[in-house]
Amino acid sequence: MIVVIFRIGIDDTDTSSGYCTTFVATLLLEEALRLGFEIIDFPHLVRLNPNIPYKTRGNAAVALILKGEIEKVEILFKKFEEICEGLIDEKADKPNPVMAFYNGDQELLREFYNRCLVSEISIEETMGLARKLGIKFLALRGVRGLIGAIAAIGANLDEFTYELLAYRDPNDKGRERGLSYAKVLEMDRLFKKYTFHNIDEGKKRILITPHGRDPVLVGIRGSDPDKLIEAFKFLGIQAQRWLIFKTNQGTDAHLKEAMKNENFARYGVIYEEAKIKDRPKVMPGGHVILDCLIKGKHAEALVYSESGAMNKLARYLHEGDLVRIGGGIKEIGASKMTINVERIEILSLSDVYLRKRPVCARCGSRLKSAGSGKGLICKNCKIEIPFEFHILTKIERPLMEGQVLLPPPRSRRHLTKPIEGNYQGIRKEFSLDYFYSKFLFPQKESVVNLS
Ligand code: ATP
Protein backbone atom coordinates (compact mmCIF):
# COMPACT_ATOMS: atom_id res chain seq x y z
CA MET A 1 0.00 0.00 0.00
CA ILE A 2 1.56 3.30 -1.11
CA VAL A 3 0.11 6.49 0.38
CA VAL A 4 0.79 9.71 -1.53
CA ILE A 5 -0.37 13.29 -1.73
CA PHE A 6 -1.63 14.00 -5.22
CA ARG A 7 -3.67 16.42 -7.30
CA ILE A 8 -6.53 15.63 -9.62
CA GLY A 9 -7.26 18.20 -12.30
CA ILE A 10 -10.51 18.22 -14.27
CA ASP A 11 -11.86 20.34 -17.06
CA ASP A 12 -14.17 20.63 -20.04
CA THR A 13 -17.07 18.70 -18.54
CA ASP A 14 -19.48 21.58 -19.10
CA THR A 15 -22.37 21.59 -21.47
CA SER A 16 -24.63 24.54 -22.23
CA SER A 17 -27.67 22.58 -21.08
CA GLY A 18 -26.38 21.14 -17.83
CA TYR A 19 -23.49 20.15 -15.62
CA CYS A 20 -20.41 22.16 -14.86
CA THR A 21 -16.88 21.29 -13.85
CA THR A 22 -17.31 22.33 -10.21
CA PHE A 23 -20.25 19.93 -9.86
CA VAL A 24 -18.29 17.05 -11.35
CA ALA A 25 -15.48 17.92 -8.90
CA THR A 26 -17.97 17.82 -6.01
CA LEU A 27 -19.17 14.35 -7.04
CA LEU A 28 -15.56 13.17 -7.34
CA LEU A 29 -14.71 14.55 -3.93
CA GLU A 30 -17.67 12.68 -2.50
CA GLU A 31 -16.32 9.48 -4.06
CA ALA A 32 -12.82 10.25 -2.76
CA LEU A 33 -14.22 10.48 0.78
CA ARG A 34 -16.09 7.20 0.33
CA LEU A 35 -12.80 5.62 -0.70
CA GLY A 36 -11.08 6.94 2.41
CA PHE A 37 -8.95 9.65 0.83
CA GLU A 38 -8.00 12.60 3.00
CA ILE A 39 -8.70 16.11 1.68
CA ILE A 40 -5.55 18.19 2.05
CA ASP A 41 -6.88 21.58 0.99
CA PHE A 42 -10.00 23.24 -0.33
CA PRO A 43 -10.56 22.22 -3.93
CA HIS A 44 -9.04 24.84 -6.23
CA LEU A 45 -11.39 26.50 -8.70
CA VAL A 46 -9.40 28.44 -11.26
CA ARG A 47 -10.52 30.75 -14.00
CA LEU A 48 -8.15 30.75 -16.95
CA ASN A 49 -7.66 33.13 -19.88
CA PRO A 50 -11.12 34.73 -20.28
CA ASN A 51 -10.52 35.40 -24.00
CA ILE A 52 -10.22 31.77 -25.04
CA PRO A 53 -12.96 30.90 -27.54
CA TYR A 54 -13.15 27.22 -26.51
CA LYS A 55 -14.84 28.03 -23.21
CA THR A 56 -18.49 27.32 -22.48
CA ARG A 57 -18.93 30.12 -19.96
CA GLY A 58 -16.27 31.34 -17.56
CA ASN A 59 -13.26 29.15 -18.48
CA ALA A 60 -13.17 27.30 -15.18
CA ALA A 61 -11.10 24.26 -14.20
CA VAL A 62 -10.82 22.47 -10.85
CA ALA A 63 -8.13 20.63 -8.91
CA LEU A 64 -8.60 18.35 -5.89
CA ILE A 65 -5.72 17.93 -3.47
CA LEU A 66 -5.91 14.54 -1.81
CA LYS A 67 -3.90 12.02 0.17
CA GLY A 68 -4.40 8.27 0.04
CA GLU A 69 -3.59 4.93 -1.51
CA ILE A 70 -2.30 5.36 -5.01
CA GLU A 71 -3.87 2.03 -5.98
CA LYS A 72 -7.35 3.48 -5.41
CA VAL A 73 -6.89 6.39 -7.83
CA GLU A 74 -8.01 4.06 -10.59
CA ILE A 75 -11.47 3.99 -8.97
CA LEU A 76 -11.60 7.79 -9.14
CA PHE A 77 -10.87 7.65 -12.87
CA LYS A 78 -13.72 5.12 -13.28
CA LYS A 79 -16.05 7.37 -11.30
CA PHE A 80 -15.11 10.32 -13.51
CA GLU A 81 -15.95 8.26 -16.60
CA GLU A 82 -19.27 7.26 -15.08
CA ILE A 83 -20.18 10.86 -14.16
CA CYS A 84 -19.33 12.19 -17.61
CA GLU A 85 -21.05 9.38 -19.51
CA GLY A 86 -23.59 10.75 -21.93
CA LEU A 87 -22.56 14.40 -21.62
CA ILE A 88 -23.26 16.10 -24.92
CA ASP A 89 -23.51 19.68 -25.99
CA GLU A 90 -25.16 21.60 -28.80
CA LYS A 91 -21.65 22.57 -29.89
CA ALA A 92 -20.41 19.66 -32.00
CA ASP A 93 -16.91 19.60 -30.54
CA LYS A 94 -17.90 19.87 -26.87
CA PRO A 95 -17.41 18.73 -24.20
CA ASN A 96 -13.93 17.22 -23.99
CA PRO A 97 -13.85 15.91 -20.41
CA VAL A 98 -10.39 15.25 -19.06
CA MET A 99 -9.22 14.11 -15.64
CA ALA A 100 -5.50 14.30 -14.87
CA PHE A 101 -3.48 12.86 -11.98
CA TYR A 102 -0.16 14.23 -10.73
CA ASN A 103 1.86 13.53 -7.61
CA GLY A 104 5.03 15.35 -8.58
CA ASP A 105 6.36 18.78 -7.71
CA GLN A 106 3.62 21.37 -8.24
CA GLU A 107 6.26 24.08 -8.80
CA LEU A 108 7.01 22.52 -12.20
CA LEU A 109 3.50 23.43 -13.36
CA ARG A 110 3.36 26.95 -11.98
CA GLU A 111 4.60 28.59 -15.16
CA PHE A 112 2.14 26.59 -17.26
CA TYR A 113 -0.75 27.84 -15.10
CA ASN A 114 0.52 31.42 -15.35
CA ARG A 115 0.68 31.24 -19.13
CA CYS A 116 -2.79 29.68 -19.26
CA LEU A 117 -4.10 32.84 -17.61
CA VAL A 118 -2.80 35.16 -20.31
CA SER A 119 -2.26 33.29 -23.58
CA GLU A 120 -3.44 30.49 -25.80
CA ILE A 121 -1.74 27.17 -25.12
CA SER A 122 -1.58 24.42 -27.71
CA ILE A 123 -2.73 20.86 -27.14
CA GLU A 124 0.63 19.59 -28.47
CA GLU A 125 2.59 21.53 -25.87
CA THR A 126 0.29 20.28 -23.11
CA MET A 127 0.59 16.65 -24.20
CA GLY A 128 4.37 17.05 -24.29
CA LEU A 129 4.37 18.40 -20.74
CA ALA A 130 2.15 15.56 -19.52
CA ARG A 131 4.53 13.05 -21.06
CA LYS A 132 7.62 14.75 -19.62
CA LEU A 133 6.26 14.97 -16.07
CA GLY A 134 4.42 11.65 -16.06
CA ILE A 135 0.98 13.22 -15.64
CA LYS A 136 -1.59 10.46 -16.13
CA PHE A 137 -4.85 11.46 -17.71
CA LEU A 138 -8.12 10.19 -19.04
CA ALA A 139 -9.58 12.03 -22.03
CA LEU A 140 -13.13 10.97 -22.78
CA ARG A 141 -13.40 12.64 -26.18
CA GLY A 142 -10.89 15.19 -27.44
CA VAL A 143 -7.92 16.14 -25.25
CA ARG A 144 -8.48 19.91 -25.12
CA GLY A 145 -9.65 19.62 -21.50
CA LEU A 146 -6.11 18.56 -20.54
CA ILE A 147 -4.96 22.19 -20.81
CA GLY A 148 -7.28 23.41 -18.08
CA ALA A 149 -6.88 20.23 -16.01
CA ILE A 150 -3.09 20.66 -15.83
CA ALA A 151 -3.35 24.42 -15.28
CA ALA A 152 -5.66 23.81 -12.30
CA ILE A 153 -3.12 21.37 -10.82
CA GLY A 154 -0.39 23.99 -11.26
CA ALA A 155 -2.33 26.88 -9.75
CA ASN A 156 -0.46 28.08 -6.69
CA LEU A 157 -3.13 30.60 -5.58
CA ASP A 158 -0.84 32.94 -3.63
CA GLU A 159 -3.72 35.38 -3.63
CA PHE A 160 -7.16 33.84 -3.47
CA THR A 161 -10.80 34.19 -2.51
CA TYR A 162 -13.40 31.52 -1.68
CA GLU A 163 -16.66 30.50 -3.31
CA LEU A 164 -19.41 28.43 -1.74
CA LEU A 165 -21.20 26.55 -4.50
CA ALA A 166 -24.51 24.87 -3.70
CA TYR A 167 -26.15 22.33 -6.00
CA ARG A 168 -29.60 20.97 -6.62
CA ASP A 169 -30.55 17.59 -8.01
CA PRO A 170 -28.85 17.52 -11.46
CA ASN A 171 -32.07 16.09 -12.97
CA ASP A 172 -33.92 19.22 -11.93
CA LYS A 173 -33.50 21.37 -15.02
CA GLY A 174 -35.73 24.24 -13.89
CA ARG A 175 -34.49 27.79 -14.25
CA GLU A 176 -36.00 29.04 -11.00
CA ARG A 177 -33.66 29.13 -8.01
CA GLY A 178 -36.27 30.46 -5.60
CA LEU A 179 -34.35 33.60 -4.64
CA SER A 180 -35.72 37.11 -4.74
CA TYR A 181 -33.64 40.20 -5.43
CA ALA A 182 -34.79 41.61 -2.09
CA LYS A 183 -33.45 38.57 -0.21
CA VAL A 184 -30.06 38.69 -1.93
CA LEU A 185 -29.87 42.44 -1.39
CA GLU A 186 -30.45 41.86 2.32
CA MET A 187 -27.76 39.19 2.35
CA ASP A 188 -25.42 41.56 0.53
CA ARG A 189 -26.03 44.30 3.09
CA LEU A 190 -25.39 41.95 6.01
CA PHE A 191 -22.27 40.33 4.55
CA LYS A 192 -20.87 43.19 2.47
CA LYS A 193 -17.59 43.12 4.31
CA TYR A 194 -16.97 39.46 3.48
CA THR A 195 -18.73 38.76 0.17
CA PHE A 196 -18.57 40.36 -3.27
CA HIS A 197 -20.36 40.49 -6.62
CA ASN A 198 -23.65 39.34 -5.07
CA ILE A 199 -25.87 41.78 -6.91
CA ASP A 200 -25.80 44.47 -9.54
CA GLU A 201 -27.58 47.40 -7.98
CA GLY A 202 -27.79 49.38 -11.25
CA LYS A 203 -29.92 46.76 -12.98
CA LYS A 204 -31.24 45.18 -9.77
CA ARG A 205 -29.83 41.85 -10.87
CA ILE A 206 -28.88 38.83 -8.78
CA LEU A 207 -25.33 37.71 -9.59
CA ILE A 208 -25.02 34.71 -7.29
CA THR A 209 -27.29 32.45 -9.36
CA PRO A 210 -26.58 31.24 -12.88
CA HIS A 211 -29.45 31.44 -15.35
CA GLY A 212 -28.95 28.20 -17.23
CA ARG A 213 -29.99 24.66 -16.46
CA ASP A 214 -26.79 23.61 -14.73
CA PRO A 215 -27.08 22.18 -11.21
CA VAL A 216 -25.63 25.24 -9.47
CA LEU A 217 -28.17 26.85 -7.15
CA VAL A 218 -25.98 29.64 -5.86
CA GLY A 219 -22.33 30.63 -5.76
CA ILE A 220 -21.35 33.06 -3.01
CA ARG A 221 -17.89 34.61 -3.33
CA GLY A 222 -15.95 36.07 -0.46
CA SER A 223 -12.98 36.21 1.84
CA ASP A 224 -13.93 33.92 4.74
CA PRO A 225 -15.38 30.40 4.32
CA ASP A 226 -17.24 30.61 7.64
CA LYS A 227 -18.95 33.83 6.59
CA LEU A 228 -19.93 32.21 3.30
CA ILE A 229 -21.73 29.48 5.21
CA GLU A 230 -23.52 32.11 7.30
CA ALA A 231 -24.54 34.02 4.18
CA PHE A 232 -25.78 30.81 2.57
CA LYS A 233 -27.71 29.91 5.71
CA PHE A 234 -29.29 33.36 5.64
CA LEU A 235 -30.65 32.70 2.13
CA GLY A 236 -32.42 29.61 3.48
CA ILE A 237 -32.55 27.64 0.24
CA GLN A 238 -32.47 23.88 -0.11
CA ALA A 239 -29.43 22.18 -1.56
CA GLN A 240 -28.42 18.56 -2.06
CA ARG A 241 -24.77 19.40 -1.80
CA TRP A 242 -22.55 22.39 -1.21
CA LEU A 243 -18.81 22.80 -1.14
CA ILE A 244 -16.41 25.67 -0.59
CA PHE A 245 -13.66 26.18 -3.17
CA LYS A 246 -10.48 28.22 -2.96
CA THR A 247 -10.25 30.25 -6.11
CA ASN A 248 -8.37 32.87 -8.14
CA GLN A 249 -11.63 34.75 -8.77
CA GLY A 250 -11.65 38.42 -7.86
CA THR A 251 -7.84 38.59 -7.75
CA ASP A 252 -6.89 40.08 -11.16
CA ALA A 253 -4.51 37.10 -11.47
CA HIS A 254 -4.53 37.39 -15.27
CA LEU A 255 -3.73 41.12 -15.30
CA LYS A 256 -0.96 40.72 -12.74
CA GLU A 257 0.56 38.01 -14.89
CA ALA A 258 0.06 40.11 -18.04
CA MET A 259 2.15 42.89 -16.52
CA LYS A 260 5.19 40.60 -16.33
CA ASN A 261 5.40 39.77 -20.04
CA GLU A 262 4.09 41.06 -23.31
CA ASN A 263 1.31 38.86 -24.72
CA PHE A 264 0.82 40.55 -28.07
CA ALA A 265 -0.88 37.65 -29.79
CA ARG A 266 -4.44 36.64 -30.61
CA TYR A 267 -6.42 36.01 -27.38
CA GLY A 268 -3.52 37.36 -25.32
CA VAL A 269 -4.25 39.27 -22.10
CA ILE A 270 -2.61 42.66 -21.76
CA TYR A 271 -2.25 45.17 -18.96
CA GLU A 272 -0.18 47.88 -20.56
CA GLU A 273 0.38 51.63 -20.59
CA ALA A 274 -1.48 53.29 -23.43
CA LYS A 275 -1.10 56.85 -24.71
CA ILE A 276 -4.37 58.24 -26.03
CA LYS A 277 -3.82 59.57 -29.55
CA ASP A 278 -7.14 61.07 -30.48
CA ARG A 279 -10.61 61.96 -29.26
CA PRO A 280 -12.60 58.84 -28.29
CA LYS A 281 -15.02 57.76 -31.02
CA VAL A 282 -18.53 56.84 -29.96
CA MET A 283 -20.07 54.23 -32.25
CA PRO A 284 -23.81 54.05 -33.06
CA GLY A 285 -24.50 51.34 -30.43
CA GLY A 286 -22.68 53.38 -27.77
CA HIS A 287 -19.41 51.45 -27.88
CA VAL A 288 -16.37 53.68 -27.47
CA ILE A 289 -13.15 53.27 -29.44
CA LEU A 290 -9.97 54.64 -27.93
CA ASP A 291 -7.19 55.19 -30.41
CA CYS A 292 -3.95 54.67 -28.58
CA LEU A 293 -0.32 53.71 -28.72
CA ILE A 294 0.79 50.71 -26.72
CA LYS A 295 4.54 50.07 -26.70
CA GLY A 296 4.76 51.94 -30.00
CA LYS A 297 2.01 49.86 -31.57
CA HIS A 298 -1.27 51.34 -32.76
CA ALA A 299 -4.23 49.92 -30.84
CA GLU A 300 -7.98 50.38 -30.94
CA ALA A 301 -9.31 49.76 -27.46
CA LEU A 302 -13.02 48.88 -27.44
CA VAL A 303 -15.01 49.92 -24.40
CA TYR A 304 -18.39 48.29 -24.87
CA SER A 305 -21.66 50.02 -24.05
CA GLU A 306 -22.33 47.23 -21.51
CA SER A 307 -19.39 48.60 -19.50
CA GLY A 308 -21.63 51.20 -17.84
CA ALA A 309 -19.68 53.93 -16.06
CA MET A 310 -16.39 52.78 -17.64
CA ASN A 311 -17.92 53.43 -21.08
CA LYS A 312 -19.37 56.80 -20.04
CA LEU A 313 -16.14 58.01 -18.43
CA ALA A 314 -13.89 56.72 -21.23
CA ARG A 315 -15.60 59.30 -23.47
CA TYR A 316 -13.82 62.06 -21.52
CA LEU A 317 -10.36 60.75 -22.29
CA HIS A 318 -8.29 63.01 -24.49
CA GLU A 319 -5.23 63.05 -26.67
CA GLY A 320 -2.11 62.97 -24.51
CA ASP A 321 -3.69 61.14 -21.56
CA LEU A 322 -1.77 58.17 -20.24
CA VAL A 323 -3.77 55.18 -19.02
CA ARG A 324 -3.13 51.53 -18.25
CA ILE A 325 -5.46 49.29 -20.17
CA GLY A 326 -6.33 45.75 -19.12
CA GLY A 327 -8.12 43.41 -21.50
CA GLY A 328 -7.89 40.80 -24.19
CA ILE A 329 -6.52 41.06 -27.71
CA LYS A 330 -9.34 40.45 -30.15
CA GLU A 331 -7.35 40.85 -33.34
CA ILE A 332 -3.74 41.61 -34.09
CA GLY A 333 -1.99 42.54 -37.32
CA ALA A 334 1.44 43.87 -38.23
CA SER A 335 0.51 47.50 -37.59
CA LYS A 336 -2.59 47.45 -35.39
CA MET A 337 -4.35 45.51 -32.68
CA THR A 338 -7.90 45.57 -31.31
CA ILE A 339 -8.46 45.16 -27.60
CA ASN A 340 -11.57 44.32 -25.60
CA VAL A 341 -11.15 46.55 -22.55
CA GLU A 342 -12.00 45.26 -19.07
CA ARG A 343 -10.15 47.79 -16.89
CA ILE A 344 -8.71 51.28 -17.30
CA GLU A 345 -6.41 52.88 -14.77
CA ILE A 346 -5.75 56.58 -15.26
CA LEU A 347 -2.04 57.33 -14.93
CA SER A 348 -1.82 60.97 -16.03
CA LEU A 349 -4.19 63.46 -17.58
CA SER A 350 -3.19 66.15 -20.03
CA ASP A 351 -4.54 69.69 -19.65
CA VAL A 352 -7.40 70.22 -22.05
CA TYR A 353 -8.52 73.75 -22.98
CA LEU A 354 -11.57 75.16 -24.61
CA ARG A 355 -10.68 77.98 -27.08
CA LYS A 356 -13.19 80.80 -27.24
CA ARG A 357 -13.08 84.22 -28.96
CA PRO A 358 -13.51 87.14 -26.55
CA VAL A 359 -16.66 89.26 -26.35
CA CYS A 360 -17.02 92.87 -27.54
CA ALA A 361 -16.16 95.34 -24.74
CA ARG A 362 -19.04 97.60 -25.78
CA CYS A 363 -22.06 95.34 -26.55
CA GLY A 364 -20.96 92.02 -25.06
CA SER A 365 -21.59 89.91 -28.16
CA ARG A 366 -19.03 87.34 -29.22
CA LEU A 367 -16.44 88.59 -31.71
CA LYS A 368 -16.26 86.90 -35.10
CA SER A 369 -13.38 86.31 -37.44
CA ALA A 370 -12.97 89.23 -39.82
CA GLY A 371 -11.70 86.87 -42.51
CA SER A 372 -8.55 84.94 -43.11
CA GLY A 373 -5.54 86.81 -41.63
CA LYS A 374 -7.71 89.76 -40.72
CA GLY A 375 -8.29 89.50 -36.96
CA LEU A 376 -11.65 89.78 -35.17
CA ILE A 377 -14.71 91.96 -35.59
CA CYS A 378 -17.87 92.77 -33.67
CA LYS A 379 -20.66 92.52 -36.20
CA ASN A 380 -22.89 94.87 -34.13
CA CYS A 381 -20.49 97.70 -33.33
CA LYS A 382 -18.16 97.16 -36.28
CA ILE A 383 -15.19 97.39 -33.90
CA GLU A 384 -12.18 95.52 -35.23
CA ILE A 385 -9.27 93.97 -33.41
CA PRO A 386 -6.41 93.60 -35.86
CA PHE A 387 -5.27 90.21 -34.58
CA GLU A 388 -7.10 87.03 -33.61
CA PHE A 389 -6.77 85.81 -30.07
CA HIS A 390 -8.64 83.33 -27.88
CA ILE A 391 -9.50 82.92 -24.28
CA LEU A 392 -8.43 79.50 -23.09
CA THR A 393 -10.57 77.86 -20.43
CA LYS A 394 -9.29 74.70 -18.82
CA ILE A 395 -11.89 71.96 -19.09
CA GLU A 396 -12.62 70.10 -15.93
CA ARG A 397 -13.18 66.40 -16.65
CA PRO A 398 -14.82 63.85 -14.32
CA LEU A 399 -11.53 61.90 -14.26
CA MET A 400 -8.71 61.75 -11.76
CA GLU A 401 -5.18 60.43 -11.83
CA GLY A 402 -5.09 57.07 -10.05
CA GLN A 403 -8.77 56.43 -10.79
CA VAL A 404 -9.72 52.89 -11.84
CA LEU A 405 -12.57 52.42 -14.30
CA LEU A 406 -14.36 49.08 -14.23
CA PRO A 407 -17.59 47.80 -15.76
CA PRO A 408 -20.51 47.28 -13.35
CA PRO A 409 -20.44 43.95 -11.46
CA ARG A 410 -22.82 42.28 -13.96
CA SER A 411 -20.33 42.80 -16.82
CA ARG A 412 -17.12 41.90 -15.02
CA ARG A 413 -14.91 38.89 -15.55
CA HIS A 414 -14.81 36.22 -12.84
CA LEU A 415 -11.17 37.17 -12.38
CA THR A 416 -11.85 40.89 -11.95
CA LYS A 417 -10.80 42.22 -8.58
CA PRO A 418 -13.70 44.17 -7.08
CA ILE A 419 -13.04 47.81 -6.18
CA GLU A 420 -15.79 47.83 -3.57
CA GLY A 421 -13.63 46.38 -0.79
CA ASN A 422 -10.78 44.07 0.15
CA TYR A 423 -11.86 40.46 -0.27
CA GLN A 424 -8.52 38.71 -0.15
CA GLY A 425 -9.09 35.25 1.32
CA ILE A 426 -8.01 34.56 4.87
CA ARG A 427 -6.08 31.34 5.35
CA LYS A 428 -8.10 28.50 6.87
CA GLU A 429 -7.51 24.76 7.00
CA PHE A 430 -9.97 22.64 5.07
CA SER A 431 -12.30 20.54 7.19
CA LEU A 432 -15.49 18.64 6.47
CA ASP A 433 -17.38 21.60 7.94
CA TYR A 434 -16.89 23.14 4.51
CA PHE A 435 -18.61 20.34 2.64
CA TYR A 436 -22.16 19.06 2.76
CA SER A 437 -23.69 16.16 0.88
CA LYS A 438 -27.14 14.85 1.65
CA PHE A 439 -25.98 11.42 0.45
CA LEU A 440 -22.62 11.21 2.13
CA PHE A 441 -23.65 12.61 5.50
CA PRO A 442 -27.35 11.69 5.88
CA GLN A 443 -27.09 12.27 9.65
CA LYS A 444 -25.29 15.58 9.42
CA GLU A 445 -27.59 18.50 9.48
CA SER A 446 -27.26 20.77 6.51
CA VAL A 447 -26.94 24.42 7.34
CA VAL A 448 -30.19 24.90 5.46
CA ASN A 449 -33.53 23.50 6.37
CA LEU A 450 -34.00 20.40 4.25
CA SER A 451 -37.37 19.40 5.72
P1 ATP B 1 -17.82 26.71 -17.15
O1 ATP B 1 -17.56 28.14 -16.88
O2 ATP B 1 -19.25 26.38 -17.26
O3 ATP B 1 -17.08 25.85 -16.18
P2 ATP B 1 -15.90 26.75 -19.15
O4 ATP B 1 -16.06 28.12 -19.65
O5 ATP B 1 -14.92 26.41 -18.11
O6 ATP B 1 -17.28 26.34 -18.64
P3 ATP B 1 -14.82 24.55 -20.65
O7 ATP B 1 -15.87 23.62 -21.11
O8 ATP B 1 -14.02 24.16 -19.48
O9 ATP B 1 -15.55 25.94 -20.47
O10 ATP B 1 -13.88 24.84 -21.88
C1 ATP B 1 -12.68 25.56 -21.83
C2 ATP B 1 -11.65 24.83 -22.68
O11 ATP B 1 -10.58 25.70 -22.99
C3 ATP B 1 -11.05 23.66 -21.95
O12 ATP B 1 -10.92 22.59 -22.85
C4 ATP B 1 -9.66 24.14 -21.51
O13 ATP B 1 -8.72 23.10 -21.43
C5 ATP B 1 -9.36 25.10 -22.63
N1 ATP B 1 -8.45 26.17 -22.22
C6 ATP B 1 -8.45 26.83 -21.03
N2 ATP B 1 -7.48 27.76 -21.01
C7 ATP B 1 -6.85 27.68 -22.19
C8 ATP B 1 -5.75 28.37 -22.77
N3 ATP B 1 -5.11 29.33 -22.11
N4 ATP B 1 -5.36 28.02 -24.03
C9 ATP B 1 -6.01 27.07 -24.70
N5 ATP B 1 -7.06 26.38 -24.23
C10 ATP B 1 -7.48 26.67 -22.98
Side-chain angles (χ1 to χ4, degrees):
M1 185 178 86
I2 306 165
V3 173
V4 289
I5 292 182
F6 60 93
R7 289 172 193 249
I8 296 283
I10 59 167
D11 197 11
D12 216 322
T13 66
D14 320 81
T15 67
S16 342
S17 52
Y19 266 61
C20 82
T21 304
T22 65
F23 182 61
V24 173
T26 306
L27 298 181
L28 264 188
L29 195 78
E30 206 168 292
E31 182 70 4
L33 283 172
R34 278 196 196 100
L35 293 169
F37 286 109
E38 191 186 324
I39 304 171
I40 298 299
D41 194 6
F42 289 86
H44 289 183
L45 159 60
V46 297
R47 301 287 178 171
L48 302 167
N49 185 346
N51 308 302
I52 289 298
Y54 320 106
K55 65 181 184 175
T56 314
R57 285 174 289 250
N59 204 3
V62 177
L64 304 177
I65 302 113
L66 304 170
K67 182 176 175 184
E69 289 171 45
I70 201 161
E71 296 82 359
K72 284 189 182 167
V73 172
E74 219 33 64
I75 310 176
L76 283 181
F77 274 107
K78 285 218 176 68
K79 182 72 185 176
F80 179 72
E81 200 170 350
E82 197 184 291
I83 297 168
C84 296
E85 209 170 63
L87 283 187
I88 39 160
D89 200 284
E90 289 115 51
K91 288 190 197 165
D93 57 343
K94 294 283 277 180
N96 291 291
V98 170
M99 169 173 156
F101 164 90
Y102 182 60
N103 68 340
D105 180 2
Q106 193 208 12
E107 270 303 304
L108 301 176
L109 296 176
R110 186 189 264 251
E111 197 232 331
F112 183 83
Y113 160 69
N114 287 339
R115 282 200 299 119
C116 250
L117 286 168
V118 293
S119 58
E120 182 180 11
I121 306 281
S122 73
I123 293 178
E124 296 68 39
E125 176 192 338
T126 313
M127 298 272 281
L129 184 69
R131 252 193 313 274
K132 187 172 140 205
L133 297 182
I135 298 172
K136 293 200 185 91
F137 65 91
L138 173 67
L140 295 177
R141 220 169 150 212
V143 277
R144 173 157 298 281
L146 185 62
I147 302 169
I150 293 186
I153 291 176
N156 41 292
L157 300 189
D158 296 333
E159 192 180 341
F160 62 90
T161 59
Y162 293 95
E163 180 164 3
L164 183 152
L165 280 152
Y167 306 95
R168 60 184 169 187
D169 180 341
N171 299 316
D172 173 4
K173 298 271 193 238
R175 284 176 187 268
E176 273 305 309
R177 259 86 176 175
L179 267 182
S180 68
Y181 178 75
K183 188 77 185 171
V184 185
L185 178 70
E186 218 182 326
M187 182 277 259
D188 183 69
R189 295 280 182 269
L190 282 171
F191 295 94
K192 210 169 192 53
K193 210 172 142 206
Y194 309 100
T195 61
F196 62 94
H197 294 168
N198 299 319
I199 44 167
D200 186 284
E201 296 206 43
K203 292 262 187 226
K204 297 209 177 333
R205 206 176 280 172
I206 299 174
L207 302 180
I208 58 171
T209 56
H211 301 289
R213 281 167 286 172
D214 58 276
V216 176
L217 277 172
V218 284
I220 312 172
R221 292 156 282 228
S223 55
D224 180 344
D226 293 301
K227 294 289 175 191
L228 294 185
I229 296 176
E230 278 181 42
F232 176 55
K233 194 172 183 175
F234 176 80
L235 293 175
I237 51 170
Q238 297 193 357
Q240 276 197 342
R241 302 173 168 86
W242 55 261
L243 174 61
I244 299 183
F245 294 79
K246 200 185 250 187
T247 152
N248 63 358
Q249 294 170 162
T251 65
D252 276 347
H254 62 322
L255 298 183
K256 277 188 245 155
E257 185 57 31
M259 273 181 96
K260 294 185 199 153
N261 298 300
E262 212 176 86
N263 304 298
F264 289 179
R266 193 179 56 150
Y267 311 138
V269 175
I270 64 148
Y271 193 38
E272 299 280 355
E273 282 189 12
K275 189 100 175 163
I276 306 291
K277 284 206 319 178
D278 209 341
R279 284 225 163 149
K281 290 189 205 73
V282 182
M283 305 309 285
H287 307 316
V288 169
I289 301 180
L290 302 173
D291 249 325
C292 45
L293 267 184
I294 298 181
K295 291 208 166 135
K297 201 170 169 68
H298 177 207
E300 278 190 351
L302 309 177
V303 189
Y304 291 103
S305 58
E306 293 80 5
S307 318
M310 179 166 84
N311 172 284
K312 298 282 174 298
L313 291 170
R315 297 169 189 218
Y316 290 95
L317 286 168
H318 201 276
E319 184 186 347
D321 292 343
L322 188 65
V323 294
R324 193 189 301 284
I325 285 182
I329 296 181
K330 195 173 168 218
E331 279 158 25
I332 184 159
S335 59
K336 196 180 92 176
M337 59 182 165
T338 315
I339 298 157
N340 290 332
V341 179
E342 53 182 90
R343 179 187 164 104
I344 300 174
E345 190 183 334
I346 298 175
L347 301 179
S348 71
L349 292 168
S350 55
D351 289 338
V352 182
Y353 294 96
L354 184 71
R355 284 157 58 99
K356 266 194 173 171
R357 295 197 182 102
V359 291
C360 170
R362 185 187 287 169
C363 74
S365 61
R366 183 106 17 226
L367 298 182
K368 300 266 185 302
S369 165
S372 171
K374 284 195 183 151
L376 301 170
I377 185 166
C378 171
K379 299 271 181 187
N380 291 337
C381 312
K382 308 293 178 221
I383 292 173
E384 280 191 43
I385 301 175
F387 52 91
E388 185 157 356
F389 73 98
H390 292 92
I391 298 169
L392 295 181
T393 319
K394 191 169 171 200
I395 297 180
E396 292 303 327
R397 296 184 279 163
L399 300 173
M400 264 185 336
E401 288 178 2
Q403 190 178 358
V404 171
L405 312 183
L406 280 188
R410 65 178 181 279
S411 306
R412 289 180 193 167
R413 304 285 199 197
H414 289 278
L415 282 162
T416 302
K417 193 175 205 161
I419 37 175
E420 291 77 18
N422 174 14
Y423 298 103
Q424 185 153 346
I426 55 170
R427 290 196 183 275
K428 291 209 167 159
E429 293 277 307
F430 182 82
S431 82
L432 288 181
D433 292 343
Y434 300 126
F435 181 39
Y436 173 76
S437 158
K438 186 180 169 182
F439 308 96
L440 200 61
F441 314 115
Q443 313 305 339
K444 182 175 157 182
E445 225 190 294
S446 163
V447 290
V448 290
N449 176 13
L450 280 169
S451 62

